Amino acid sequence: MAGIMAASGWRHQDEGLSLGAQFRSRFSNTHLMVAVGILVVALAITVGTSIAARSHFRSLSEDEFEHAVLTAAAAIEKSVSEKLVILQSIQGLFATRDDVTRDQFDSFVMLLARDDSAIQALEWIPRIERDALDAYVRRTQAEGFADFALHPAGERDVYFPVDYVFPMDPNRAAFGFDLASNPERLAALNESRDTGKLVATAPITLVQETGSQAGFLVFAPVYRGGGVPSTVAERRDKLAGFGLAVFRVGDFIDNSVPAPSQEEFNLVVFDTLVSDDTKIHAATDAHRGLLEADALLIQRELDVAGRTWVLCFLVPRGFGLGALSQSAWLLILIAGSLVSLLGFGFSFLLLTGRDRAIALAGRMNESLAASESQRDQMFELSQDLIITADAQGNFVFVSEASRRLLGRDPADMVGKPYLDFVHPEDRASVARAAAQVVEGDELTAFDCRFLRADGEAVWLSWNAHWLPGLVFAVGRDVTERREIERMKDEFVATVSHELRTPVTSIKGFLEMLTDDLDASMGEEQRSYLQAAGRNAERMERLVSDLLDLSSLEAGRLAVEPALFDLRSAVNDVLSALQPDLEERTIDVTIEIPEVPTPQAWGDQRRVEQVLTNLLSNAVKYSQPGARIEVVVASDDEGDDPSMLRVEVRDNGIGIPPEAIEHLFEKFYRVDNSSTRSSTGTGLGLAISKALVELLGGRLWVESELGRGSTFSFTLPRGAADAHGPA
C-alpha cells in the first residue's frame, strides 16, 4: 500500500512539474508576443516618424534652398541696379558738360565706385570722325601719353576709342581700343545710340582679360546738348559718345552674392540671346553632374540693360538632410526623445531662418542707405545748384548749393513755386522756358536771375530736361561772367565813340598831306605815308565794327529793309575787292539764276557788309591762284520757300572742328600757324551773324580742315520773287 502511495505521489509530483513547465512556457510565449507586438508597434511608429521626419526635413531643405535662391537673385538684381545708377551718373556728367577733363573724370568716378570690385572699369568713349582722328591722337599724346595710338589699326568712318579709364593700371590694355572694330561691341553701340537707352553687350572676352572669365559692357549714350533727341536721325547726328561700365561676370556675381550664400548652391548663368546656350558663368563644373542626377533646379530671369540672363540655381535633392538620410534607423534607440528633438530642431530651423531673414533685410537697408548717402554726398559736393520741380512749378528737391549761391536753406524752398525766387524781370521768360521743358524740349545755357535771401540778384545759367513727372535742372553761377561782359561792352562802346573822331581826323590829315606833298616826296616818304594811311583805314574799320557790335547788342542798330537785287549786291562787293583778288591771283565764279533775278528783302548796305566780310576771309585764307565760288539759290534745305540762300565757298586751309562752335563769338580767332599771320580782330563774323539774324535769316559754316570752308546765310525773298507768301 505504502509502495503504491509512494508511487502515486511521485506520479502527481511529476505531473505538477509538467504543468508548471507548460504554464511557464505559455507565459513566456505571451510576453514574447507582447514584446514583439510592442516592438512592432514601436518600430512602426519609429519608421513612420522617421519617414515623416525625412519628408519634413526634405521640405524644409527645399524651402531653405528657395529662400537662399530668392535672396541671391535679389542681391544680384540690386547690384545690377546700383551699377547702372553709377553709369547713369557718368552719362549725366558728360551730358551737362562738354569740358570734362581726365582728372575730373577720375575724381568723379572714384567717389561713385571706390573699392567696388564688381566693376572692372568705368570709361568715357568719345565719338571721333575719321577726319578728326589725327587731331584727337595728337591731343591725347600731348596729355602725357606719348605712345598713345588707336588699336586695332584700320580705317573706319567713325571711331569709338576707350579714352578716359578708371582705374587705369589694370585696364591699360583697353586704353585706345576702338570699340567700333569689334562686331559685338559695335552692335551694342549702335543699339544704344539709336534707342537712347542703356545697352549691354553679349558675353565677350575683354581686351584686358588675363584669365578665363567672360565679360560684358554696358553703354550709356551721351548726346550734344543733353537729353535724348526725339528721332533716330537726330540721335545719330548729335551723338557725342558713351559712358561705359566694364564687368567680369564671375567677379560681378561674387561681389553681389555673399560667400556663405554661394556655398549653398551651384549657380550657372546663361544669356538667352546667345543661340548656342553657352554658359557665361558657373560657380563650379559640377552642374552637369547635378543635372544628370535629377538635382533641384530653380531658375530666375534678370534684365541686364536690355539683355536677359537666366540664373540657374542647382543643389542635390535632400541636400539639407546630411547624416540623417544615412542614420534614420538610429531613431529607434531614441524614440522617447524623438518628438522633443524634432520639435527642438523644427523650432531651431524656423527661428534661425527668421533671424537670417531679419539680418538680410538689415544689410539690404544699410546698403540702400549707403547708396542714398553717396548720392546726397555727390549733390552736396556739386558747386552747381541741382533742382527738380513738378509740372505745377513747385520745387521737389533743392541741393545744398542753395546755401552758398542763394543764402537759403533747401528745406525752406522745397514745396514752394520756383518763380517766387526768380527776379521779377525774368519771371515771364523763365515761365516760357519751363513750359517748353515740360513739353519735352531741352533747355541749354538759359540765363536768368535768382534772388538771394538778402535781396541781391544772382545770374544762373540753366540746363534742364524733362524726366517722367519732373523737371530736372542744373544751374551754374555766371554772375561774374555777366558782370565782366557788361563792363566789357560798356568799355568797348565808350572807347569806340572816343576813338572815332581822332581816327577820322588822322585819316583826313594824312590824305591832305599826301595830296599836298605828292610831287615833292621821295619813294621812301611816300611809302611811309601810304603805310600810315592803311593803318588809319584799318583803325577806322575797327572802330566801326566796335560801334556796330555795341549797337547790335544794345538793340539800337537801325536797318532800312527794302527790295534789292542780290546779283547787283554781289557784283558791287567783288568790284570793291578787285585789288585784293588781283594781288593774290584769286578767281571768283558767280552762280546766280538769270531768270528770275533773285530779289531779296533787307538792308542792302548791311547785306553787302556781310558779303564783304565773308569774301575777305575767303581771300585771306586761300592760297594764291585759288578759286572762290559765290552761289545764290533757293533755300531748299530749310523747307522755307520764302528764303534765299547765299553761299561763299573756298578751298583754303579750312577750320579745325573744335573751333567751329566758337567761330561766331566776339574777338575769337582760330589759333593756328596759318591764321596768326593774317590781320583781324575777331569781330567780323560775330557782327555778320548778328546782322543776318536781325534781317530775319541765319548764318552758319561747314568746313573740313585742309579742304576749305563754306559760309552760308539766308535772307527773306522779295515779294516779286517769292514762290510762296512773302
Side-chain angles (χ1 to χ4, degrees):
M1 184 68 150
I4 294 172
M5 290 177 63
S8 175
W10 281 109
R11 187 180 67 236
H12 289 295
Q13 186 179 7
D14 291 340
E15 289 176 356
L17 289 170
S18 178
L19 289 172
Q22 292 176 9
F23 178 78
R24 285 194 297 272
S25 176
R26 287 197 299 272
F27 180 81
S28 298
N29 291 336
T30 301
H31 278 72
L32 180 59
M33 292 176 62
V34 171
V36 170
I38 293 173
L39 178 61
V40 170
V41 171
L43 286 173
I45 293 173
T46 302
V47 171
T49 304
S50 175
I51 293 173
R54 288 171 60 82
S55 176
H56 179 67
F57 270 91
R58 182 185 297 274
S59 177
L60 286 178
S61 299
E62 293 177 359
D63 290 345
E64 184 179 359
F65 173 52
E66 185 172 1
H67 175 74
V69 167
L70 292 175
T71 302
I76 296 173
E77 184 173 6
K78 177 175 177 293
S79 182
V80 169
S81 178
E82 290 175 346
K83 303 309 178 283
L84 296 187
V85 167
I86 291 175
L87 184 57
Q88 288 170 332
S89 298
I90 296 174
Q91 182 185 33
L93 173 67
F94 283 92
T96 55
R97 295 183 56 183
D98 57 1
D99 59 347
V100 179
T101 65
R102 196 177 300 275
D103 289 340
Q104 290 171 339
F105 174 83
D106 287 350
S107 300
F108 184 81
V109 299
M110 185 183 298
L111 177 65
L112 295 175
R114 182 185 290 115
D115 298 329
D116 192 338
S117 59
I119 302 176
Q120 175 69 19
L122 294 171
E123 301 172 357
W124 165 241
I125 312 297
R127 170 184 176 179
I128 305 297
E129 302 292 339
R130 180 191 296 178
D131 56 0
L133 178 60
D134 291 340
Y136 163 74
V137 171
R138 289 193 300 271
R139 185 169 63 251
T140 305
Q141 291 173 343
E143 292 178 355
F145 304 97
D147 297 328
F148 175 83
L150 261 64
H151 59 94
E155 288 196 0
R156 290 173 277 279
D157 292 335
V158 64
Y159 301 82
F160 293 99
V162 175
D163 192 354
Y164 294 179
V165 187
F166 180 86
M168 172 62 83
D169 288 340
N171 298 286
R172 189 169 294 275
F175 183 42
F177 178 72
D178 179 20
L179 298 172
S181 66
N182 177 268
E184 291 85 2
R185 293 166 172 82
L186 183 59
L189 283 167
N190 290 338
E191 182 182 351
S192 180
R193 174 201 64 195
D194 292 347
T195 62
K197 298 178 180 179
L198 271 63
V199 172
T201 65
I204 59 173
T205 299
L206 300 177
V207 176
Q208 59 269 51
E209 177 61 39
T210 58
S212 58
Q213 287 194 50
F216 68 101
L217 315 178
V218 182
F219 297 102
V222 176
Y223 302 94
R224 292 189 300 276
V228 179
S230 57
T231 67
V232 172
E234 289 178 321
R235 293 170 196 156
R236 293 178 176 178
D237 179 62
K238 294 184 177 181
L239 180 71
F242 296 89
L244 171 60
V246 182
F247 304 91
R248 300 170 79 221
V249 181
D251 291 346
F252 182 83
I253 297 295
D254 290 343
N255 180 269
S256 303
V257 182
S261 298
Q262 295 188 41
E263 295 175 359
E264 298 180 7
F265 47 74
N266 188 293
L267 173 60
V268 186
V269 183
F270 297 90
D271 186 326
T272 60
L273 298 182
V274 178
S275 59
D276 60 0
D277 292 332
T278 302
K279 70 178 185 299
I280 61 175
H281 171 75
T284 70
D285 289 331
H287 62 282
R288 299 192 182 278
L290 288 173
L291 288 173
E292 294 172 0
D294 189 27
L296 290 172
L297 169 64
I298 296 180
Q299 297 184 12
R300 289 290 182 271
E301 288 190 354
L302 176 65
D303 179 78
V304 181
R307 299 190 74 85
T308 302
W309 284 8
V310 177
L311 310 177
C312 299
F313 298 85
L314 288 156
V315 294
R317 291 191 179 275
F319 74 102
L321 297 178
L324 182 62
S325 61
Q326 304 298 327
S327 309
W329 296 107
L330 293 177
L331 292 176
I332 299 173
L333 302 177
I334 54 174
S337 57
L338 180 62
V339 175
S340 298
L341 289 174
L342 288 177
F344 171 78
F346 183 65
S347 300
F348 178 77
L349 286 175
L350 288 180
L351 288 174
T352 55
R354 178 174 175 273
D355 290 343
R356 285 197 298 272
I358 292 174
L360 175 62
R363 290 195 297 272
M364 293 176 68
N365 286 334
E366 290 174 2
S367 178
L368 179 60
S371 297
E372 292 177 347
S373 174
Q374 188 179 59
R375 179 205 63 192
D376 293 341
Q377 184 182 10
M378 288 170 53
F379 286 162
E380 290 174 7
L381 291 175
S382 174
Q383 297 297 305
D384 298 334
L385 180 61
I386 302 173
I387 65 100
T388 59
D390 58 28
Q392 289 71 45
N394 299 314
F395 282 122
V396 175
F397 168 82
V398 179
S399 71
E400 285 293 319
S402 65
R403 298 183 189 274
R404 179 179 59 82
L405 295 176
L406 304 178
R408 300 181 185 273
D409 188 333
D412 295 338
M413 301 175 68
V414 171
K416 297 179 181 178
Y418 49 73
L419 287 180
D420 290 354
F421 302 91
V422 177
H423 193 285
E425 296 179 4
D426 295 344
R427 287 174 183 170
S429 61
V430 170
R432 288 193 298 270
Q436 294 174 351
V437 173
V438 171
E439 292 174 359
D441 293 342
E442 296 291 331
L443 187 67
T444 303
F446 175 79
D447 292 359
C448 68
R449 289 166 289 179
F450 266 56
L451 297 174
R452 289 179 48 85
D454 57 12
E456 292 293 323
V458 177
W459 280 98
L460 297 177
S461 181
W462 293 93
N463 290 332
H465 64 273
W466 178 250
L467 299 174
L470 288 174
V471 173
F472 177 83
V474 178
R476 175 162 294 179
D477 185 1
V478 293
T479 305
E480 183 178 356
R481 187 199 74 193
R482 296 286 299 221
E483 180 63 17
I484 291 173
E485 289 179 352
R486 184 190 66 78
M487 294 172 62
K488 183 176 67 177
D489 292 342
E490 289 182 358
F491 173 78
V492 168
T494 302
V495 171
S496 300
H497 280 287
E498 293 297 327
L499 285 175
R500 168 167 280 187
T501 299
V503 167
T504 303
S505 299
I506 291 171
K507 183 182 176 185
F509 286 136
L510 286 171
E511 291 175 352
M512 293 172 56
L513 187 62
T514 301
D515 292 340
D516 292 343
L517 302 178
D518 184 63
S520 60
M521 283 191 300
E523 189 63 33
E524 184 177 2
Q525 293 173 317
R526 184 177 289 105
S527 66
Y528 290 157
L529 283 176
Q530 289 174 347
R534 286 195 300 271
N535 281 284
E537 290 178 357
R538 181 184 174 194
M539 181 63 74
E540 185 178 42
R541 287 196 300 271
L542 173 60
V543 171
S544 297
D545 285 347
L546 289 171
L547 288 173
D548 284 347
L549 186 63
S550 178
S551 299
L552 282 166
E553 292 182 338
R556 297 192 303 266
L557 185 71
V559 294
E560 300 176 0
L563 192 67
F564 70 94
D565 185 346
L566 257 178
R567 179 188 295 277
S568 175
V570 171
N571 288 332
D572 288 348
V573 171
L574 289 176
S575 296
L577 293 175
Q578 192 61 36
D580 291 338
L581 295 172
E582 292 176 353
E583 180 182 353
R584 296 177 63 85
T585 63
I586 291 177
D587 181 38
V588 179
T589 61
I590 303 175
E591 185 179 326
I592 302 178
E594 293 289 342
V595 179
T597 301
Q599 300 287 308
W601 178 260
D603 188 323
Q604 181 172 349
R605 183 171 67 90
R606 294 301 182 182
V607 173
E608 289 179 357
Q609 182 178 349
V610 173
L611 277 169
T612 299
N613 181 266
L614 298 183
L615 283 165
S616 295
N617 285 344
V619 172
K620 187 186 303 181
Y621 299 120
S622 294
Q623 298 295 327
R627 186 178 66 176
I628 297 173
E629 299 177 68
V630 179
V631 179
V632 177
S634 299
D635 186 29
D636 297 329
E637 297 179 2
D639 296 326
D640 188 349
S642 66
M643 303 297 286
L644 286 170
R645 187 177 75 256
V646 181
E647 296 181 354
V648 177
R649 306 172 183 169
D650 66 65
N651 54 5
I653 62 176
I655 304 168
E658 64 271 14
I660 288 180
E661 60 180 309
H662 304 289
L663 201 59
F664 297 102
E665 296 176 2
K666 294 177 293 184
F667 302 105
Y668 181 81
R669 298 191 65 219
V670 179
D671 185 17
N672 62 43
S673 58
S674 300
T675 60
R676 289 194 189 100
S677 61
S678 300
T679 60
T681 62
L683 291 176
L685 289 177
I687 293 173
S688 297
K689 186 174 189 296
L691 286 174
V692 169
E693 291 175 352
L694 184 63
L695 295 172
R698 64 189 183 97
L699 171 63
W700 70 98
V701 63
E702 297 169 328
S703 182
E704 186 174 351
L705 199 61
R707 302 189 65 177
S709 306
T710 298
F711 284 83
S712 307
F713 66 93
T714 58
L715 291 171
R717 284 179 182 269
D721 186 52
H723 297 297

